[in-house]
Amino acid sequence: MKTTAQTTSRPARRQRRPRTMLPLLYGLLLLAGCSGGSPSALNPAGTGAARVSGLWWLLFWISMAVFAEVMALLAWALVFRRGAARVRHGQPLRFVTIAGAGLPFIILVAVYGVGLRDLAALGAGPGRDAVTVEVTGHKWWWEVRYAGASGATANEIHIPVGERVRVRLRTDDVLHSFWVPQLMPKTDLIAGETRETWLEARRDGSYRGQCAEYCGTQHAHMAFLVVAEPRADFDAWLARLDAPARAPRTEAERGGQQTFVQGTCAACHTVRGTGAQGQVGPDLSNVGSRWSIGAGAVPNDAGHLGGWIANSQTVKPGNAMPPQPVDAARLPDLIAYLRSLG
Amino acid sequence: MTDRGGVVAAATGVAALTTEEPVGRPAGWWGMVMFVATEATLFACLLGSYFYLRFQFGPQWPPGGVDKPKLLIPLLMTAVLVPSSLPVVWAEHGIRRGRRGRLRAGLAATLVLGLTFLALLAIEYAEDLKHFTMTTDVYGSLFYLITGFHGLHVLVGLTMIGWLLAASLRGGSFGSHRHERVRNAAIYWHFVDAVWVAILFTIYLSPRL
Amino acid sequence: MSALTLYRAHGSGSGDVADGLLTMLSVAVVCLLAAGYGRGVQELWARRGRGRVVAGRRATAFAAGLVVVLAADQGPVHRLAESSYAGHMAQHMLLLLVAGPLLAAGAAGLPLTLAAPLPVRRLLARVRAAAPVRRLRRPAPYALLAAGAQTLALWLWHLPGPYVAAVDRPVLHAAEHLSLVAAAWLLWAPVLGPARHRTPPPVSLLLLVGTMLPASALGAALTFAPDPVYPARVLGADPLADQQLAGLLMWAPMDLVVLVAALAVFLGWLHRLDRERPNSLVTARPGRPAAPPATGTATEGMVR
Amino acid sequence: MSTTTSTAPGVGRDDLARLAEHWAEPRSLRAWLTTVDHKKIGRRYLVTAAFFFVLAGLSALVMRTQLARPESGVVSPQEYNQLFTMHGTAMIFLFATPMLFGFGNFLVPLMIGSRDMAFPRLNAFGYWVFLFAGLFMWASLPFGAAPNNGWFAYAPLNQVQHNPGLHMDVYALGLLFLGISTTAGAINFIVTALKLRAPGMSLNRVPLFVWAIVATAFMVVFALPALNADNAMLFFDRRFGTHFFDPSGGGNVLLWQHLFWIFGHPDVYIIVLPALGIVSAVLPAFTRRGVVAYSLIVLSIVAIAIISFGVWVHHMFATGLPQLSYSFFSAASTVITIPSGIQIFAWLATMLLGRLVLRVPLLFVIGFVVTFVLGGVTGAMFAVTAFDQQVTDSYFVVAHFHYVLIGGAVFPMLAGIYYWLPKITGRMYHEGLGRWAFWLAFTGMHVTFFPMHLTGLFGMPRRVYTYRSEPGWDGWSLVSTVGSYLLALGLLLVLVGVVHAVRRGRPAPADPWEGDSLEWSTASPPEPYNFPVIPRVHSLHPTWDARTVESTTTGATADRVLSEGRRTLFTSELDARTERAVEMPEPSFKPLVLAGALLVFFTAMLLAAYPIAVLAVLVVAATIAAWLWPSRRPDEELGLAS
Ligand code: HEA
Ligand code: HEA
Ligand code: CUA
Ligand SMILES: [Cu+2]
């Protein structure tokens, strides 16, 4: 019986640490997450995410209660059932059944009911004549079109604030998943099928979204931005999507356009109203106004744009765009031109 | 099996070691049954995939102008394979009574029937391959994978039967006290047989329903 | 049995007549069963004492089962069944998962035999003693038979062709319901029936789970099918949703009932083992003072 | 080995000598390659699985290093993707299951009072296949050809047009190869537990660990085929141009997911059930009483095994299947928490009534309770579909499954290692070192994975090789990385502890803990024949029960000594009545040859050297034929008519 001798009470006290520390941690950290521009699901800006956020807090507190119960029993055992305590030979079946099955069952039924309610709420799509966005996933960027508009953009979705917008999801290759944590939970894009979800922003702002289904080498860089703006702004933006791209105004821009249309760029990219009608890569008609290059890989500024054109493989290895043999003298014009498109 | 105590005493004595007399089920039996259970699950997964893909595909099945499977050869195959379990049963009952001749004859008959089945399968393939292959579309993929996989099982079963036959021809292998291997191979063969019925229904009959 | 099937497509007069006849027939059969059972039980109780041989709760279960059979074919349930596939599925589940088990729990074999006229009784006895029937009644073949019957009934009647035919023709519809109840009765008899007719617990466990799986598969197939499998006229207002709900109704309640039953069988089995072969802990562990007095039965480790 | 050979109560000297002679295995290379002893095989499983654990763990450390800061370039995206795939695949398939099979192999025969597994040579074969399959998969990493599609390898990214190269061929073939071993092992466990229990060990006296292993084995038998079917179809799609998962050819990409998770979900319980079994086995020794509510725990095990086949769609809550079906799977996933709750509270009740002896194994059990409950409640959260759709495929999920996998499987395994180390090696471990290891691992675990709940909620998707700093994930990621190093340090101390025990440890007595199950009635380490006398069991706690102990001493009978030949006892399946003694097989090269031929086959398939593959198949067939070839016996012994 040498084994029983070691009875220090230190571990017992340490054991209680998680019980008091973890909920505290939780509280603090969640506060942190709610601040700033982080795409946090706990800082919802949309109807769908707000529902789930409410659900989360319910689940959180229930879980904490269950956890606290278990920790309390454990601590009790560690404090009072050590050392010389006499072993008791009961079979407290009722305790095990009630605490292990009965109580959890009641809790779970309640939670399940709430969960069903929220699931139904998420399932209630927009009305028939809602704005419809057609999103197509590609390795590794998002093609964005609007029902009734001819133009396309990429990695950026504009929606009118306060309206429920239908999003129709298709993929051109493998699975992706459409996720805007602050607005709406995920919907996967299934190869060979069409899925639908919706977005409804309650306040205007920009919300980061990201592909959430592993889709290959650059799954990490497949982000997008949802811009919720007042209806008027949205209408104006959409109108521009239907019109030809902005024409070059300066000499440099004109030179850049020429390079673009006559060079290899046009084989893959479209700029509305020019000879560039390539279908492989994203439509660049408004590339100058977008929030990023390479679906969130780098910020959209002249320096990064140049780097991307010269060799995007160093920026986003594995993406479909080969390094471009643009001669260094013409690159600034090309950049100026692209920056002017917006 | 009635006098338990006696059996136990006899069973644990030295003499019992030299027999496989059935006092309870031998480990090999359980092993084979579990093996068959997992194999059956495998076939269930394949057949389930067939129905899943079919329902997901849409109303026209088989797709793409492939005719509904013809029934003549498959029915012939059924007529050959399903009865092939009988000689196995007969052989097994024979060796339980120590009749080695029956064992040999039964196994040989099964071997012939099984080989006929494989020959018919080959004929069936030769005909089908003119119309569609494994790479034509998902129907072709399912058709050849499932029937081929079953064919492979028949081949394995026949190998077992052939192996038993070889062992029994050598002599000194099986008798009324030692026939566990016969029994296990028989279980496997019955399984291969039963699976064929499910395949017949799925692959050949269900497109017509 | 079935009084269903008012007329959908062609509410013709002949349909009504057939319908009425069938209703009468089904009520008559139920009454006959009730009468026979009642008489048999009465006789048993008169001979052996009230509540003996066939316990009171068994009699209640049987009566309840008959009521459920009647109720499933009449009134609100019936109207529900007329209006949608899901409603119809609910009706089937009522027959399979409520009526069948209740009837099985009634242990009706003995009372019904007793109530039968002598020649019938003789015949039954002879049939039961016949070698093939005896072989069939051994646990494993019986389980295979029962599982097969239920699976066949379930799959067959829910294939599009037979299903539509049953909706259109009262006689087939009656046959459908009859076969469902009968299959369920057969399946649950060895689980809920009198102790002497029960299959060994492991067999019951496999029987239940083994029957559940193909039923679940069918339920899953209906739930996940992307298009309606049945013609629109037998489906509700939103055909696909109706079909999905029906699939789920086949799937979920069956799983639940079987799960509960299987676990109950298992627990009962463990307890019985424990009674038959109690745990001994004659003395305590070596080197310690004796454990609390425990002779033969356990105070430790086992549930009593 | 140990020195207690010469005498044992209840058995005569010559009996012992005969036993030693029949079961002896000389120390030679040949014996090493041919052994069929379940204890040696179990040990090998443990060591090999631990080796793969270290490889997979080191992969994780590289990943964590890459993720410590935003946009770091420690590894390329292609490398990262292979690393996380190999990490997940190896942890699940090459570490968790085989490790528990290792425990099972070593312990099941000892716990049920048998001298070996039911099929010792199949057992050896299973080990070799496991080893070869593991090496087969890991060998692809240095070539840059390792699987790179996540451990669940969704279609259509696993198709050759999206994923050229050998990566996913290695995955499909490797898992098919490994499946042979897992299936063989599972069948072996089932038959062993059914037929080889000591007389008197009816089902209500079977140790909980054995129940757990058997339930697991049944789950393997019925779940693994789904994965095998999936991988076979994948390989055909990739190599032979079929269209199972190719929508352009009429296939369906969700079929892959359905089949994968029909296997995958039961698989997580395949991992956790035996681990929970270890908890149930360890507790009696450190609470000085039997586990409370034995039959409820057995019931929970069976319930989990059944229900786990009905919840797979909860991994597909975002794929847009009919909402109705989600409500069903949500309910099923909710219900499955209840059996776990029963077990947790049964253990708590055991601790509340017993007398705690706070040694390292118990520390790990306590760490297990804390961690597993936290991981379990996040699982219960996922069961609520609407919430899952928000956090699925984010780091929140990564947090959940590391809590349940490390808390629910690794901690119990570590408890088991410390607990059975004396039995396995014959040496005691160093208590202080063990405590340090526990506290480091426990702290490290929570520091690593707790923040992942937060990054997940803050919108960080999983399986990203890098991230930008704007979303604000960098701080917590760095904390995780630091934690992972702490955790690694803790595990390093475990390793040091084991090595120290083997090299320097005090010799262990036969029963250092006064445990309640039969393995403690054997020598430490056990003799090759395990039990000089096969006990007759009268209790769930046989070594605490005087009648059972007596049955191997003064009450020993010849039918349980069985010293003529390599023999053990068959008993009836349900109530363990003696049926007969059986001869166990001798050591043999055939298992190794067979596994080697299979390795050649799978390698040839991978490299498209089909003629060699055909040759390998012939060798396989010939080996099996020779393996099972009946030995020649005289006619009268066979019993031939006429
Ligand atoms: C050992 C492995 C293990 C275990 C035991 C579990 C246990 C559980 N898991 Fe987990 N799970 C995984 C391994 C495991 N899981 C893995 C590897 C994945 C991810 C795969 C991948 O995507 O890569 C996953 C993912 C996963 C998902 C999908 C998430 C997603 O991808 O979106 C879901 C969804 O329902 C889920 C649910 C559950 C539930 C309900 C349990 C339950 O069994 C938990 C039960 C336990 C408790 C609840 C604690 C004790 C109980 C009490 C104290 C009683 C009181 C409790 C309550 C009232 C709540 N798990
Ligand atoms: C049993 C299962 C198991 C275990 C134990 C672990 C253990 C660990 N896991 Fe992992 N993990 C998975 C199963 C597991 N994991 C699965 C299934 C996935 C999903 C994969 C996918 O998405 O496809 C995953 C994914 C996963 C990710 C997400 C990757 C991504 O989505 O991009 C991360 C990230 O941090 C991670 C980290 C870790 C760490 C740090 C450990 C640590 O606990 C590891 C610690 C162990 C060691 C370090 C080795 C032991 C060390 C020694 C013996 C000493 C020697 C050490 C030194 C010299 C330092 N794991
Ligand atoms: Cu697209 Cu991940
Ligand atoms: Cu799961």
Side-chain angles (χ1 to χ4, degrees):
Chain A
M1 286 315 308
K2 348 95 219 177
T3 54
T4 49
Q6 270 126 16
T7 50
T8 52
S9 57
R10 259 180 313 142
R13 240 173 267 132
R14 275 199 222 146
Q15 206 49 56
R16 267 177 291 166
R17 186 178 53 184
R19 181 173 58 130
T20 48
M21 291 290 281
L22 290 183
L24 215 95
L25 264 177
Y26 248 125
L28 281 177
L29 305 184
L30 297 182
L31 278 182
C34 293
S35 62
S38 119
S40 167
L42 303 181
N43 180 18
T47 312
R51 257 203 183 266
V52 177
S53 161
L55 184 60
W56 150 255
W57 286 111
L58 175 77
L59 295 170
F60 171 72
W61 288 117
I62 289 179
S63 304
M64 279 304 109
V66 169
F67 184 61
E69 180 198 0
V70 173
M71 286 309 109
L73 292 173
L74 198 58
W76 182 279
L78 280 167
V79 173
F80 296 110
R81 304 300 305 174
R82 301 269 300 282
R86 261 181 57 103
V87 175
R88 291 202 248 148
H89 289 273
Q91 287 288 342
L93 289 185
R94 191 170 308 148
F95 167 77
V96 173
T97 322
I98 292 178
L103 280 181
F105 186 75
I106 293 170
I107 296 174
L108 291 170
V109 168
V111 168
Y112 177 68
V114 177
L116 274 195
R117 191 199 64 188
D118 288 342
L119 182 62
L122 291 185
R128 187 162 305 177
D129 35 42
V131 175
T132 299
V133 194
E134 315 257 359
V135 175
T136 308
H138 296 268
K139 285 192 281 189
W140 292 277
W141 56 282
W142 303 86
E143 177 185 338
V144 179
R145 293 174 182 274
Y146 286 78
S150 61
T153 180
N155 307 325
E156 197 167 306
I157 299 172
H158 285 240
I159 58 169
V161 77
E163 283 181 42
R164 203 164 274 207
V165 174
R166 171 179 296 109
V167 184
R168 201 165 278 147
L169 301 165
R170 279 191 209 90
T171 165
D172 187 42
D173 36 55
V174 299
L175 306 190
H176 306 275
S177 189
F178 184 83
W179 186 30
V180 197
Q182 284 175 279
L183 296 181
M184 191 68 187
K186 295 174 199 69
T187 307
D188 290 353
L189 284 63
I190 307 293
E193 284 168 49
T194 305
R195 293 286 189 254
E196 264 190 19
T197 181
W198 52 271
L199 295 173
E200 181 182 329
R202 289 174 171 177
R203 35 173 219 268
D204 47 1
S206 305
Y207 307 104
R208 191 175 189 279
Q210 182 157 358
C211 176
E213 183 69 81
Y214 177 67
C215 51
T217 315
Q218 281 298 342
H219 163 64
H221 289 135
M222 193 168 162
F224 59 101
L225 198 70
V226 177
V227 180
E229 52 201 1
R231 184 74 203 204
D233 295 359
F234 170 73
D235 287 340
W237 183 85
L238 194 60
R240 253 177 292 146
L241 200 61
D242 238 356
R246 188 176 163 284
R249 265 174 266 174
T250 67
E251 200 50 45
E253 288 171 17
R254 261 188 293 278
Q257 184 182 42
Q258 206 175 9
T259 311
F260 189 92
V261 175
Q262 288 165 4
T264 43
C265 313
C268 295
H269 295 283
T270 297
V271 174
R272 279 192 308 281
T274 72
Q277 294 294 331
Q279 295 296 322
V280 180
D283 186 316
L284 297 180
S285 307
N286 61 1
V287 66
S289 68
R290 291 188 203 153
W291 69 294
S292 84
I293 306 174
V298 281
N300 189 0
D301 54 36
H304 284 103
L305 188 57
W308 178 275
I309 296 171
N311 189 353
S312 67
Q313 297 301 326
T314 56
V315 184
K316 186 172 171 179
N319 87 82
M321 178 161 156
Q324 295 303 307
V326 181
D327 126 28
R330 311 180 73 170
L331 194 55
D333 288 358
L334 187 55
I335 294 173
Y337 172 62
L338 289 173
R339 301 280 306 149
S340 78
L341 295 173
Chain B
M1 293 283 285
T2 43
D3 173 16
R4 263 237 124 137
V7 170
V8 170
T12 48
V14 180
L17 277 180
T18 55
T19 79
E20 288 172 355
E21 198 120 50
V23 181
R25 299 208 183 278
W29 185 89
W30 281 106
M32 182 51 90
V33 166
M34 293 320 299
F35 179 62
V36 162
T38 182
E39 286 261 81
T41 316
L42 187 56
F43 274 103
C45 289
L46 289 177
L47 298 181
S49 302
Y50 178 93
F51 283 111
Y52 180 85
L53 288 170
R54 179 197 166 166
F55 277 133
Q56 296 288 327
F57 184 81
Q60 210 219 330
W61 188 263
V66 174
D67 290 336
K68 292 194 194 312
K70 298 206 179 49
L71 286 183
L72 179 64
I73 301 183
L75 287 179
L76 269 180
M77 287 158 81
T78 314
V80 171
L81 192 63
V82 172
S84 74
S85 267
L86 294 177
V88 176
V89 173
W90 185 72
E92 196 198 327
H93 276 249
I95 195 65
R96 270 197 218 162
R97 304 202 180 99
R99 304 255 180 80
R100 197 154 59 190
R102 258 173 77 173
L103 176 66
R104 289 172 181 161
L107 290 176
T110 310
L111 207 57
V112 171
L113 287 172
L115 287 173
T116 318
F117 175 87
L118 285 184
L120 285 169
L121 184 65
I123 295 172
E124 158 90 356
Y125 274 6
E127 176 60 28
D128 290 330
L129 282 172
K130 289 186 205 138
H131 304 291
F132 62 101
T133 68
M134 196 156 78
T135 56
T136 310
D137 57 22
V138 70
Y139 174 76
S141 308
L142 284 165
F143 181 90
Y144 288 106
L145 183 78
I146 295 178
T147 52
F149 193 58
H150 178 262
L152 197 69
H153 276 71
V154 174
L155 192 64
V156 171
L158 285 179
T159 316
M160 288 187 187
I161 302 275
W163 174 88
L164 281 181
L165 189 60
S168 76
L169 287 175
R170 175 196 67 170
S173 303
F174 308 114
S176 63
H177 297 163
R178 294 201 162 259
H179 51 260
E180 204 185 313
R181 290 175 176 78
V182 181
R183 196 172 172 196
N184 292 343
I187 293 175
Y188 189 81
W189 187 256
H190 298 326
F191 158 72
V192 168
D193 229 16
V195 166
W196 171 253
V197 177
I199 289 176
L200 179 77
F201 175 79
T202 307
I203 302 272
Y204 294 103
L205 300 181
S206 84
R208 295 169 182 275
L209 286 181
Chain C
M1 339 216 73
S2 157
L4 291 194
T5 340
L6 290 175
Y7 255 87
R8 305 182 161 252
H10 28 80
S12 67
S14 71
D16 284 341
V17 173
D19 219 42
L21 279 176
L22 277 169
T23 312
M24 275 160 58
L25 197 68
S26 71
V27 173
V29 169
V30 167
C31 288
L32 214 65
L33 274 177
Y37 187 84
R39 171 122 199 273
V41 169
Q42 199 187 19
E43 194 160 324
L44 277 173
W45 286 359
R47 277 194 223 159
R48 300 281 186 84
R50 203 178 158 69
R52 308 301 293 275
V53 188
V54 177
R57 58 195 162 78
R58 289 203 178 277
T60 323
F62 192 78
L66 289 178
V67 171
V68 173
V69 169
L70 275 184
D73 277 357
Q74 253 78 34
V77 185
H78 171 59
R79 272 197 299 284
L80 202 67
E82 289 297 287
S83 60
S84 70
Y85 185 40
H88 204 158
M89 188 64 80
Q91 187 185 30
H92 287 178
M93 288 303 119
L94 212 57
L95 294 174
L96 277 175
L97 297 178
V98 183
L102 281 174
L103 290 174
L110 191 60
L112 285 182
T113 320
L114 276 179
L118 197 60
V120 179
R121 244 191 288 173
R122 284 225 185 88
L123 186 73
L124 275 178
R126 213 170 311 132
V127 169
R128 203 179 281 173
V133 178
R134 272 220 312 272
R135 211 166 302 139
L136 263 186
R137 287 174 53 208
R138 286 199 318 226
Y142 182 90
L144 281 178
L145 186 78
Q150 161 127 350
T151 305
L152 196 71
L154 202 71
W155 273 78
L156 188 74
W157 288 116
H158 292 97
L159 288 181
Y163 180 79
V164 173
V167 168
D168 286 344
R169 267 180 244 155
V171 180
L172 279 187
H173 207 154
E176 174 187 46
H177 286 196
L178 182 70
S179 60
L180 289 181
V181 173
W185 193 340
L186 206 63
L187 175 72
W188 288 93
V191 181
L192 298 173
R196 62 186 183 288
H197 290 318
R198 287 206 200 140
T199 44
V203 177
S204 307
L205 207 68
L206 287 179
L207 168 66
L208 287 175
V209 176
T211 320
M212 180 189 83
L213 289 179
S216 298
L218 183 58
L222 290 178
T223 315
F224 288 134
D227 302 302
V229 177
Y230 302 85
R233 71 190 167 89
V234 299
L235 294 173
D238 180 347
L240 193 58
D242 189 25
Q243 180 174 303
Q244 286 172 1
L245 183 61
L248 209 62
L249 276 173
M250 170 180 290
W251 193 355
M254 174 84 92
D255 280 14
L256 192 71
V257 170
V258 166
L259 182 72
V260 170
L263 293 181
V265 166
F266 188 77
L267 194 62
W269 182 33
L270 276 187
H271 280 282
R272 211 185 65 205
L273 269 177
D274 212 31
R275 260 197 315 280
E276 286 168 4
R277 327 200 69 202
N279 257 300
S280 84
L281 200 61
V282 175
T283 57
R285 335 185 238 294
R288 317 211 73 239
T295 40
T297 57
T299 48
E300 187 160 353
M302 276 313 300
V303 184
R304 297 270 87 217
Chain D
M1 295 223 186
S2 74
T3 48
T4 52
T5 330
S6 50
T7 56
V11 202
R13 235 170 240 282
D14 42 341
D15 272 332
L16 271 185
R18 267 202 301 274
L19 276 173
E21 177 202 325
H22 288 304
W23 290 85
E25 289 187 1
R27 279 178 164 273
S28 67
L29 182 66
R30 183 196 164 84
W32 195 83
L33 291 174
T34 58
T35 185
V36 294
D37 181 348
H38 73 98
K39 296 179 290 299
K40 292 196 183 141
I41 294 170
R43 247 174 358 227
R44 282 177 198 178
Y45 262 107
L46 293 175
V47 171
T48 313
F51 171 64
F52 291 142
F53 175 64
V54 172
L55 289 185
L58 293 178
S59 312
L61 288 189
V62 177
M63 281 151 52
R64 280 302 344 150
T65 311
Q66 158 78 6
L67 293 175
R69 292 179 319 111
E71 296 180 81
S72 67
V74 178
V75 289
S76 71
Q78 288 87 351
E79 283 160 356
Y80 183 88
N81 294 343
Q82 295 182 32
L83 281 177
F84 85 72
T85 304
M86 276 314 281
H87 166 72
T89 312
M91 282 293 188
I92 297 279
F93 293 104
L94 300 177
F95 157 62
T97 315
M99 190 82 173
L100 292 160
F101 270 35
F103 277 107
N105 250 308
F106 189 89
L107 290 169
V108 166
L110 288 173
M111 281 187 165
I112 63 175
S114 156
R115 285 184 176 154
D116 207 327
M117 298 281 284
F119 306 110
R121 287 192 291 186
L122 187 67
N123 207 18
F125 168 67
Y127 168 74
W128 293 119
V129 170
F130 158 56
L131 175 69
F132 292 163
L135 294 176
F136 176 87
M137 295 190 79
W138 275 110
S140 63
L141 195 59
F143 294 102
N148 59 354
N149 199 6
W151 81 282
F152 44 72
Y154 278 176
L157 188 55
N158 59 15
Q159 299 284 295
V160 76
Q161 64 268 35
H162 296 296
N163 200 337
L166 288 182
H167 309 274
M168 297 317 290
D169 298 316
V170 173
Y171 176 90
L173 291 175
L175 291 187
L176 284 170
F177 190 13
L178 182 68
I180 298 173
S181 157
T182 316
T183 307
I187 293 177
N188 212 344
F189 281 131
I190 293 175
V191 181
T192 305
L194 280 175
K195 293 304 299 182
L196 293 184
R197 301 197 310 277
M201 187 181 274
S202 52
L203 288 185
N204 56 330
R205 294 174 188 161
V206 173
L208 287 167
F209 177 75
V210 178
W211 269 111
I213 286 277
V214 171
T216 301
F218 270 102
M219 288 167 74
V220 167
V221 164
F222 292 109
L224 201 57
L227 181 71
N228 290 338
D230 228 9
N231 275 319
M233 289 193 257
L234 172 60
F235 187 69
F236 271 80
D237 269 10
R238 290 182 63 86
R239 201 46 85 68
F240 304 118
T242 55
H243 301 282
F244 296 106
F245 307 121
D246 170 18
S248 68
N252 187 289
V253 296
L254 287 182
L255 174 64
W256 171 273
Q257 298 194 18
H258 280 297
L259 284 174
F260 186 90
W261 290 117
I262 286 176
F263 155 78
H265 186 84
D267 188 53
V268 307
Y269 293 98
I270 286 172
I271 291 169
V272 88
L273 277 184
L276 302 187
I278 293 181
V279 172
S280 294
V282 169
L283 267 182
F286 299 97
T287 56
R288 320 304 309 153
R289 59 155 293 150
V291 173
V292 163
Y294 172 85
S295 54
L296 284 183
I297 293 185
V298 175
L299 192 73
S300 307
I301 291 173
V302 174
I304 287 181
I306 297 176
I307 305 175
S308 69
F309 283 87
V311 303
W312 78 92
V313 170
H314 70 207
H315 296 273
M316 301 166 66
F317 275 161
T319 53
L321 294 175
Q323 282 220 351
L324 266 174
S325 66
Y326 283 161
S327 58
F328 170 69
F329 284 103
S330 169
S333 312
T334 307
V335 165
I336 205 169
T337 60
I338 287 178
S340 304
I342 291 181
Q343 297 195 57
I344 289 278
F345 282 95
W347 294 319
L348 284 174
T350 311
M351 290 197 232
L352 283 168
L353 297 182
R355 184 158 60 91
L356 299 195
V357 182
L358 211 61
R359 299 289 300 265
V360 176
L362 187 63
L363 280 180
F364 274 106
V365 166
I366 290 166
F368 149 81
V369 172
V370 175
T371 315
F372 180 70
V373 169
L374 274 177
V377 292
T378 51
M381 292 179 183
F382 293 151
V384 180
T385 313
F387 177 68
D388 181 82
Q389 290 176 340
Q390 183 67 294
V391 292
T392 181
D393 274 317
S394 77
Y395 261 88
F396 197 92
V397 172
V398 179
H400 159 71
F401 65 72
H402 283 94
Y403 264 75
V404 279
L405 281 166
I406 298 185
V410 176
F411 282 178
M413 286 175 195
L414 294 177
I417 286 179
Y418 283 102
Y419 180 57
W420 283 300
L421 202 64
K423 187 57 49 185
I424 297 174
T425 64
R427 304 287 177 153
M428 294 303 289
Y429 63 86
H430 187 284
E431 187 76 17
L433 211 54
R435 281 174 191 271
W436 270 98
F438 168 74
W439 285 109
L440 274 172
F442 183 79
T443 318
M445 145 78 215
H446 286 272
V447 174
T448 310
F449 296 106
F450 192 83
M452 292 188 187
H453 292 110
L454 304 170
T455 46
L457 287 170
F458 298 165
M460 181 164 176
R462 62 194 279 205
R463 298 173 163 178
V464 291
Y465 76 94
T466 191
Y467 52 91
R468 292 186 58 82
S469 68
E470 295 95 75
W473 304 321
D474 24 2
W476 293 119
S477 299
L478 185 61
V479 174
S480 283
T481 303
V482 172
S484 67
Y485 282 101
L486 279 185
L487 176 54
L489 199 61
L491 292 168
L492 188 63
L493 285 192
V494 174
L495 195 67
V496 170
V498 171
V499 173
H500 176 267
V502 173
R503 290 271 173 83
R504 302 259 164 83
R506 264 187 305 119
D511 183 8
W513 312 116
E514 300 196 349
D516 69 331
S517 40
L518 281 175
E519 77 270 25
W520 300 113
S521 69
T522 62
S524 291
E527 300 294 340
Y529 45 84
N530 293 353
F531 299 90
V533 191
I534 293 173
R536 169 171 287 286
V537 175
H538 297 272
S539 164
L540 180 57
H541 310 289
T543 48
W544 291 351
D545 169 54
R547 278 173 72 195
T548 310
V549 173
E550 190 188 284
S551 76
T552 61
T553 51
T554 47
T557 50
D559 65 333
R560 288 182 286 113
V561 174
L562 300 174
S563 61
E564 325 266 340
R566 273 171 94 94
R567 290 202 281 160
T568 192
L569 213 54
F570 265 21
T571 54
S572 63
E573 291 83 3
L574 303 183
D575 43 11
R577 284 179 221 279
T578 305
E579 277 174 353
R580 62 195 159 113
V582 282
E583 191 75 30
M584 300 307 273
E586 304 280 331
S588 160
F589 270 116
K590 288 179 193 114
L592 181 57
V593 173
L594 186 55
L598 283 172
L599 177 63
V600 172
F601 170 75
F602 280 100
T603 314
M605 287 305 280
L606 181 71
L607 303 176
Y610 302 119
I612 298 182
V614 172
L615 274 180
V617 168
L618 293 180
V619 176
V620 167
T623 316
I624 298 179
W627 180 333
L628 296 171
W629 192 247
S631 52
R632 195 171 204 144
R633 288 166 200 275
D635 279 2
E636 54 281 14
E637 197 184 310
L638 291 171
L640 283 179
S642 68

